[in-house]
Structure formats: structure tokens, C-alpha cells
Amino acid sequence: MRLAELSRRSGVSTATIKYYLREGLLPPGRQVNPTTAEYDEGHLRRLRLVRAMIQVGGIPVATVREVLRNVDDYALGRTIRLGAALWALPQVPEPDENDAFVRAAHREVDELLDRLGWSNAKLLTTISPSYRSLVVAVAAFRRLGYEWGFELLASYGRLMHEVAKLDLDFVETHPSEAEKAETAVLGSVLTEPMLQALRRLAQEEESGRRYGFE
Amino acid sequence: MRLAELSRRSGVSTATIKYYLREGLLPPGRQVNPTTAEYDEGHLRRLRLVRAMIQVGGIPVATVREVLRNVDDYALGRTIRLGAALWALPQVPEPDENDAFVRAAHREVDELLDRLGWSNAKLLTTISPSYRSLVVAVAAFRRLGYEWGFELLASYGRLMHEVAKLDLDFVETHPSEAEKAETAVLGSVLTEPMLQALRRLAQEEESGRRYGFE
């Protein structure tokens, strides 16, 4: 398809598409003559992904470029490639290892991974930003003196594992490795606000069941 | 306890406590003489809540004040009071009802609530920001042309209902109505980043199980 059709089918203006091409967020089309390039379904898919990250996720252009570099790096195995693509997304600040609450949270999270039997996740603790995010979150509520119990965290962990199985089942419905990696990134950007809204709605539902509305 | 002890036990500086008192985020202490006030465990708890919202949640002071007004409004029934406290937290922008994707998302979310049997949540759709957030999230991925299926959304919804039951069970372990309302707010501010980190870690675990690390 030509640029005009790519624009029509994606709902992205030709000016924005040209900007994404210049910024290297979209690979160049196949040049059919000096003034015309042809684009394919891969371009359309990539354009949607870029738009989701920038417009819905509010992710900076430089970060989008890094995420895409990982998505496209077929030299990586699938686990690492999907992980690396997500790991390039904006993350929480690094935990301060001199802080006693942070060190205690490291021990608590390590114990949690053992309790949950997440031995694969445990192999990644030195490189995974998700692990560091969890340490920061646990340290934050311990510092405030809140006693969310260890068993409660483990129960949340088990439910999130069920969520992750749904996530990966959905990723696997896509035929190509490119679409699998793209869907993993989109899943994070687009479904996190959805899960948060579902949780709050479910709280309202459950609250109404337990206490009524009077 | 005196101001100095409140500061020591909460880890919040006396200057910051005085600022919160001036801004009405903390109720005044009991004046024992013209220059000295006494504070109690309720002040300590409220101080932690304010700090969690401002420092961990990044919530503006004016919003914190509104959340607390709802937490303290005993004229409201429990469901509405807990809901109202959370509803004062920062929310997504209003959906644009002139947008065809938004209107379709309304229908899809209403159908989802029917499928999940969330009849209580359905009673609140005209006033609940959680409902509007879900409409915005669903409209965002439909607009991008993604086919997360209806059954997949329903499965996510059922898992989030299990999460909400854990949330409310934990709220109920607190004896007073004041602590219940405070815990509901904290649960949202502090546990949302934790659940997000657990989900990403679970994805890494599940990815490692399915595909290994080569």
C-alpha cells in the first residue's frame, strides 16, 4: 500500500507517519520509484504499536525506539526478548540499597519467590526491573508501618500468576514471533489501566454484596 | 504524645507535620496549655495515610484533602464511603461520548458486567469513575484495532474479583470504621504498583517455564 492508504487504515496522519519514519520508529517502505514507497501489513502493525506506546502509554520517543530494538532482536531467545522489550519501558527508580527497609524488602521478596515456587523469576532477579519494582513497593508499605501479611502477598502473587498465564496464552495466539513480541509490549501498555479499573469495579461489586448500599 | 514524639514515631519532620496541620490534612491536637498540644494514635495513623498518598502516590494536597473528607464522612454507608474515598483519587479523563469507540466500549463494558454477574457494580455505573476508566481503557485498544476477545476480558474480570475479595478481607481485619476507610485508600495507593510488579514477575516466571532461557 502507499503512504495515503497506510494513513487511512491506521488513522495516523501522513505527517506523523513521516515523523515516525525519520525517527526510525517505523522501518522504511520498499522504494518502487524515486518518489513512491510501498508499505505492508507489518508497517500497519508497527504503526499501531508505536501509537499505543506514545499516545496511550505516554512513553517518550527515545524509549519507544529502545523497546522496538529489543522487539526486533531475533538473536535473543523468546523469554529474554519479551522480557527485554518490557524492561525498556519506563520503570520505578532504583531501590536505595543503603536503606534498611529496602534490604529487608529484598529478603521478603526472595522468600516470596521461594514460597510461590517462582524459580525462573528467581534466576532473573539481578537483571529484572520487575523484581526491583516489587522490592520498592514492598519497602514503601513496610516503611509506612503497614502490616500487609506475607500470606496475603503470596495470595496476590498466585492470582497474578493466573493473570500472567492469560497474558501469555493471548500472546501465543499470534502466529509470528514479531507479533508475539509486539503483543507482549502492548499487553503491558494497554491492559494495565484495564486491570486496575476492573479491580476497582470488583471492589465496588464486592463491597455492595457485603455491606449493601444504605 | 507531644509533637516531637509524633514526629519521631511517624518519621515525618515537625515542620512537615505543622504544614499538614495548617492545610487541614491532620486534625488539630488536644490543646493542654496555650503552647502545647497532645496527639494520639489516630493522629499517627492519619499521618501515615497522608504521607503514603503524597510521597508514595504523588497525590496533590487538594486531592488528599478531598479523599480525607470522604473517609471521615460517617453519614455515608460503608460501600459508598469507601467508594467515595477512592473516587476522589486522580482518575482518567472523562470519556468523549461523541466518539463511536467510546459508545461501543460502553456497550461492551455493560455486557461484561452482565456476564460477570456484577449487578452491584452495575448500579453504580452513572457515578463510578472506575466504570469510566474501564470504558476508556477498552475504547483505547478497540480504537487501535486490537482483538482482545470478550471472553479474555471476562477471565481477567473474574481474577480481579478474587483480588478484590482479598482486598476487602484485609480491610475487614481492621477494627474501627476509620481504619477500614483508611486501609481501603492505602490499598489502592500502595498495592497497585505491587500488583503490577507481581504480574510482570509472573510473566517472566511463566515465560521461563514455557520457553526456557536459551
Side-chain angles (χ1 to χ4, degrees):
Chain A
M1 75 191 94
R2 301 294 158 85
L3 185 65
E5 192 185 344
L6 184 63
S7 167
R8 190 182 54 72
R9 286 186 58 194
S10 63
V12 179
S13 71
T14 56
T16 301
I17 295 175
K18 285 178 182 170
Y19 168 70
Y20 290 164
L21 285 163
R22 276 197 309 276
E23 290 290 326
L25 304 183
L26 198 64
R30 192 174 54 84
Q31 213 69 34
V32 290
N33 66 50
T35 57
T36 316
E38 271 281 323
Y39 302 91
D40 60 23
E41 298 297 319
H43 287 94
L44 187 59
R45 255 187 8 240
R46 181 56 52 101
L47 201 45
R48 279 185 188 155
L49 175 62
V50 168
R51 205 169 155 228
M53 284 197 276
I54 293 177
Q55 294 185 0
V56 183
I59 297 170
V61 166
T63 306
V64 169
R65 196 183 294 115
E66 198 182 337
V67 170
L68 294 176
R69 192 162 45 228
N70 290 325
V71 163
D72 292 335
D73 187 350
Y74 291 93
L76 302 170
R78 191 187 289 171
T79 299
I80 298 296
R81 198 164 90 249
L82 297 186
L86 291 175
W87 294 347
L89 292 173
Q91 304 288 345
V92 298
E94 292 291 310
D96 172 6
E97 302 295 339
N98 293 319
D99 181 322
F101 286 103
V102 167
R103 288 198 305 271
H106 267 292
R107 289 191 297 275
E108 187 170 354
V109 169
D110 288 346
E111 210 180 311
L112 186 66
L113 296 182
D114 286 335
R115 171 69 62 90
L116 292 166
W118 290 4
S119 52
N120 290 288
K122 207 155 182 193
L123 292 173
L124 301 172
T125 54
T126 53
I127 54 170
S128 164
S130 319
Y131 172 83
R132 292 198 296 277
S133 300
L134 186 56
V135 167
V136 168
V138 169
F141 57 75
R142 294 299 178 230
R143 181 176 293 112
L144 288 162
Y146 286 101
E147 297 303 324
W148 268 269
F150 185 78
E151 291 308 322
L152 181 57
L153 299 194
S155 299
Y156 281 128
R158 278 185 284 269
L159 287 171
M160 288 303 109
H161 193 176
E162 295 307 310
V163 168
K165 287 177 191 169
L166 291 177
D167 295 336
L168 268 78
D169 287 346
F170 181 63
V171 165
E172 286 181 5
T173 61
H174 294 81
S176 72
E177 288 297 315
E179 283 171 281
K180 283 185 176 71
E182 289 173 2
T183 306
V185 172
L186 275 163
S188 285
V189 174
L190 296 178
T191 69
E192 276 167 8
M194 183 193 76
L195 284 188
Q196 188 171 317
L198 278 171
R199 180 192 186 192
R200 292 195 182 182
L201 265 175
Q203 289 170 341
E204 292 165 16
E205 172 63 26
E206 189 61 21
S207 194
R209 288 187 194 183
R210 293 187 189 193
Y211 319 124
F213 288 106
E214 99 278 12
Chain B
M1 73 192 94
R2 300 296 156 84
L3 184 66
E5 191 185 343
L6 184 63
S7 168
R8 189 182 55 71
R9 287 185 59 193
S10 64
V12 180
S13 72
T14 56
T16 302
I17 294 176
K18 284 177 181 169
Y19 168 69
Y20 290 165
L21 284 164
R22 276 198 309 277
E23 290 289 326
L25 303 184
L26 198 64
R30 192 172 54 83
Q31 212 69 33
V32 290
N33 66 48
T35 58
T36 315
E38 272 281 323
Y39 301 91
D40 59 22
E41 297 297 319
H43 287 96
L44 187 60
R45 252 183 13 236
R46 180 55 53 99
L47 201 46
R48 280 186 187 151
L49 176 62
V50 168
R51 206 168 153 231
M53 284 197 276
I54 292 177
Q55 292 184 3
V56 182
I59 297 170
V61 166
T63 306
V64 170
R65 196 182 293 116
E66 197 182 337
V67 171
L68 294 175
R69 194 162 43 229
N70 290 326
V71 164
D72 292 334
D73 187 350
Y74 291 93
L76 302 171
R78 192 188 288 172
T79 299
I80 297 297
R81 198 162 95 252
L82 298 186
L86 292 174
W87 294 348
L89 291 172
Q91 305 289 346
V92 298
E94 293 290 311
D96 173 5
E97 303 295 339
N98 293 320
D99 180 321
F101 286 103
V102 167
R103 287 197 307 270
H106 267 292
R107 288 190 297 274
E108 188 170 354
V109 170
D110 289 345
E111 209 179 313
L112 186 65
L113 296 183
D114 286 336
R115 170 70 60 92
L116 291 166
W118 291 3
S119 51
N120 290 287
K122 209 155 182 193
L123 291 173
L124 301 172
T125 52
T126 52
I127 56 170
S128 164
S130 320
Y131 171 83
R132 292 199 295 276
S133 300
L134 185 56
V135 167
V136 168
V138 168
F141 57 75
R142 294 299 177 230
R143 180 176 293 114
L144 288 162
Y146 286 101
E147 296 303 326
W148 268 270
F150 185 78
E151 291 308 322
L152 181 57
L153 299 194
S155 300
Y156 282 127
R158 278 185 284 269
L159 286 171
M160 288 303 109
H161 193 176
E162 295 307 309
V163 168
K165 287 177 192 171
L166 292 176
D167 295 336
L168 268 79
D169 287 347
F170 181 63
V171 165
E172 287 181 5
T173 63
H174 294 80
S176 71
E177 288 296 316
E179 283 171 280
K180 283 185 175 72
E182 288 173 5
T183 306
V185 172
L186 276 162
S188 286
V189 173
L190 296 178
T191 69
E192 276 167 6
M194 184 192 76
L195 284 188
Q196 188 172 315
L198 278 170
R199 181 192 185 192
R200 291 196 183 181
L201 267 175
Q203 289 169 343
E204 291 165 17
E205 170 63 27
E206 188 62 22
S207 193
R209 289 187 193 182
R210 294 187 187 193
Y211 319 124
F213 288 107
E214 99 280 10

